[in-house]
Amino acid sequence: MAGEIKKRSEIDEQFQWCLEDMYETDELWEEEYRKLVSLADAMKDLDGNLGKDSGNLLRYFEQYDEMTYYVNRLVVYANERFHQDTTVAKYQAMAAKADNALMIFSSATAFASPEILKIPEDVLKGFLENEPKLAAYERALSEQLRKKEHVLSAAEEALLANANELKSAPSNIFEMFNNADIKFPSIRDVEGNRLAVTHGTFGQLLENSERSVRKAAYESLYGSFKQWGNTLATTYTSHLRGEKYFAKSRRYHSTRAMHLDDGNIPESVYDQLIETVHRNLPKMHEYVSLRKRILDVEELHTYDLYVPIVENSEKRYTFEEAKELVLKAVEPMGEEYVKIMREGFENRWIDVYENTNKRSGAYSWAAYGTHPYVLLNFNGTLDSVFTLAHEMGHAIHSYYSNRTQPITYSDYLIFVAEVASTCNENLLMQYLLMTTADVKERRYLINHYLEGFRATVFRQCLFAEFEKIVHEKIWNDEALTLTELNEIYGQLIEQYYGPDLTIDDETRHEWMRIPHFYTSFYVYQYATGYSAATAFAKLILEGGQEAATRYIHHFLCGGCSKDPIELLREAGVDLSTPQPVESALKVFGDYLQLFKKELK
């Protein structure tokens, strides 16, 4: 897609998503907004009355589902209209109004959970026996009851709710500092040209073939963070203490236990991930050693970890070619899966090309009752082909979940959100490796996989272990200073990357710039999700249609009808054991050996 970026009006309609499938006109959106407001107002009649009889409880759940249906549609449509051209004032306002719809929904239903938990269990049991329609909500009720011991009195809950703004302060401070205040000195390339160092350019600069540029960019960014070390250490430890306060208040035995409880994830899953990765660190060390040898450097530094070690494939793909590649790659999923994907390709589920003022990046977003939508900024590179496979994995996961489950259980949890998308990427990788005869492309593909695995499994596991250590120290009232944070992080870098990486002082400060650390115990899910996806792809390629059907029926169709661990287990991958992570790490090792063979 060379040349100037086109205006939206210049993009052929066939490459634009058809949002009219959700609302034929914007006026219909406004009409549903009014319906939501009306339903929210009607909820007031149920406040204080849920425990009086089964009819009131059923009415609450049914109205909640109806409100969920409307609010999801309102939010998805408004934001997708806004994202296709962010300068259109009408859709800026509509997106803001959709945010208001979310607040209306949240406010109208806030009374229910504490009220339901006050209903004696024998009374709830009687409600379920007397009203057969409540059976549809038995899991929703059991999920609330499961957390009953961590729900406080109304007065205490009000105090915690009022403290939420204070709890989010460290994250807000970091976000403002990181996005608005911190600035990095510019650097010069080998020809003396000045290069700006920003969050946006930093990744590109680390891929620069000139080592002096990479080193200067690294020192510019991390040197700037180092100057604010005490402030950032205090900001982060304040976040850790806030998390501890809420976990203790809710009677959890640790901050981690509180966060994993949302998806009913056993803490052993977290520990097994770290333990399994530890056993396989020699593979990571071997890869780092290979990178050092290929770059032919006396010392390998952290700023050398991102520069390409094989020549980039210059092959370009049209969108038609990309679609056919992805369709061929997912054929092991079976005819129905391919048919659904083709339907998405042919019926304008996808907004394909970049246009002026379009939102960057890519995503899939679905509202119950309408097919999913995918936003791309397709540019013809191999990466954009993988992005198509990835986002269509999300889309078809939503398609199956929404088609199979009632709205109550249609949303899959974040713990499994990246499994279907990454499984598609694995299938595409396998297909391309089997069909390409170009040596340069094979090398690029294998290295693409190794780098993705390093960043998603090894690096995110390192982050997860860092979180585990620092949260435990705060929980146990141990001091945690800037020096100690740097030391903990530096030791983990040494452990994960091995003896062939020279650790610079700047590297020990890397923890300072990771925004995910302010969303506690989130990053481990990247590693578990990637591992599960790798295991599923292997099962499907080796087990054929039976394995694919099991994956589709038990996982893609499952929504949140069961705990995510149980859905994965029934589909063939048991993350309560080390086996899926072990299997994924074996695949990494196999690709590493194949890469070394290709380089000979």
Side-chain angles (χ1 to χ4, degrees), residues 454-524:
R454 177 181 74 81
T456 312
V457 178
F458 287 107
R459 189 164 187 257
Q460 300 299 328
C461 186
L462 184 157
F463 288 170
E465 188 167 1
F466 176 76
E467 280 195 282
K468 179 176 184 288
I469 293 168
V470 297
H471 276 276
E472 284 177 352
K473 284 185 174 295
I474 290 296
W475 188 268
N476 294 324
D477 297 321
E478 296 178 35
L480 202 55
T481 65
L482 170 63
T483 301
E484 287 161 332
L485 287 164
N486 288 346
E487 185 65 24
I488 292 164
Y489 195 83
Q491 288 174 356
L492 288 171
I493 291 287
E494 291 174 8
Q495 180 182 8
Y496 275 71
Y497 286 85
D500 283 306
L501 183 70
T502 299
I503 309 296
D504 301 300
D505 186 54
E506 287 85 0
T507 304
R508 302 180 191 279
H509 294 74
E510 186 183 38
W511 64 268
M512 293 180 184
R513 65 176 289 258
I514 309 301
H516 275 117
F517 287 158
Y518 291 87
T519 306
S520 299
F521 298 103
Y522 179 89
V523 294
Y524 84 100

Side-chain angles (χ1 to χ4, degrees), residues 36-48:
L36 177 73
V37 173
S38 177
L39 283 166
D41 190 57
M43 272 288 188
K44 294 174 184 175
D45 295 339
L46 295 171
D47 191 349

Side-chain angles (χ1 to χ4, degrees), residues 333 337 340-341 349 362-367 371-376 386-402 410-425 522 526 551 555-556:
M333 290 288 200
Y337 191 95
I340 295 167
M341 185 172 285
W349 291 10
Y363 66 69
S364 172
W365 207 348
H371 63 74
Y373 288 95
V374 169
L375 180 140
L376 299 177
F386 273 97
T387 299
L388 174 63
H390 182 100
E391 297 305 336
M392 286 304 292
H394 283 306
I396 295 179
H397 191 179
S398 296
Y399 178 95
Y400 271 116
S401 180
N402 288 348
S410 60
D411 258 356
Y412 46 84
L413 298 182
I414 193 68
F415 183 77
V416 295
E418 295 299 329
V419 174
S421 54
T422 312
C423 183
N424 270 10
E425 285 197 70
Y522 179 89
Y526 288 116
Y551 168 77
F555 176 59
L556 297 187

Side-chain angles (χ1 to χ4, degrees), residues 44 46 54 57 76 97 100 144 157-158 192 238 284 293 299 404 414 498 508 515 536 542 553:
K44 294 174 184 175
L46 295 171
S54 58
L57 189 59
V76 171
K97 195 170 181 179
N100 192 53
Q144 294 201 35
E157 286 290 341
S238 296
M284 180 63 168
R293 178 167 64 82
E299 287 186 348
T404 308
I414 193 68
R508 302 180 191 279
F536 276 127
E542 294 176 355
H553 179 74

Side-chain angles (χ1 to χ4, degrees), residues 103-259:
M103 287 190 288
I104 290 170
F105 173 71
S106 178
S107 177
T109 58
F111 72 93
S113 185
E115 195 168 317
I116 289 170
L117 291 175
K118 286 181 181 178
I119 302 172
E121 289 192 33
D122 60 329
V123 174
L124 270 179
K125 185 179 179 182
F127 284 177
L128 288 164
E129 291 171 353
N130 296 334
E131 178 49 80
K133 289 182 180 179
L134 273 175
Y137 301 102
E138 192 165 359
R139 173 168 170 79
L141 277 167
S142 67
E143 274 298 282
Q144 294 201 35
L145 293 172
R146 181 175 65 80
K147 299 178 182 179
K148 187 172 184 176
E149 65 178 295
H150 304 296
V151 177
L152 311 179
S153 69
E156 290 168 328
E157 286 290 341
L159 283 172
L160 285 185
N162 290 333
N164 264 321
E165 191 173 354
L166 296 175
K167 177 174 174 278
S168 62
S171 175
N172 293 337
I173 291 167
F174 173 78
E175 186 175 349
M176 186 61 68
F177 170 81
N178 195 42
N179 294 328
D181 290 342
I182 191 167
K183 299 291 184 282
F184 314 116
S186 61
I187 62 173
R188 293 190 183 274
D189 63 16
V190 290
E191 296 172 350
N193 300 310
R194 190 171 292 279
L195 301 174
V197 180
T198 66
H199 288 299
T201 64
F202 183 61
Q204 299 168 21
L205 292 169
L206 287 188
E207 295 177 5
N208 195 290
S209 59
E210 292 292 342
R211 199 178 193 208
S212 60
V213 171
R214 302 197 300 268
K215 183 174 187 291
Y218 196 80
E219 291 174 347
S220 168
L221 186 133
Y222 285 109
S224 300
F225 272 96
K226 278 175 62 177
Q227 292 177 19
W228 294 93
N230 289 305
T231 297
L232 290 170
T234 303
T235 304
Y236 185 49
T237 53
S238 296
H239 164 75
L240 298 175
R241 290 190 180 94
E243 292 282 77
K244 173 186 173 181
Y245 172 79
F246 272 74
K248 279 190 173 289
S249 297
R250 292 202 174 280
R251 298 187 287 268
Y252 284 98
H253 66 263
S254 70
T255 304
R256 186 179 70 168
M258 177 178 70
H259 284 283

Side-chain angles (χ1 to χ4, degrees), residues 17 34 58 139 168 298 596:
W17 51 23
R34 290 191 291 271
L58 176 64
R139 173 168 170 79
S168 62
E298 189 173 328
K596 293 172 79 171

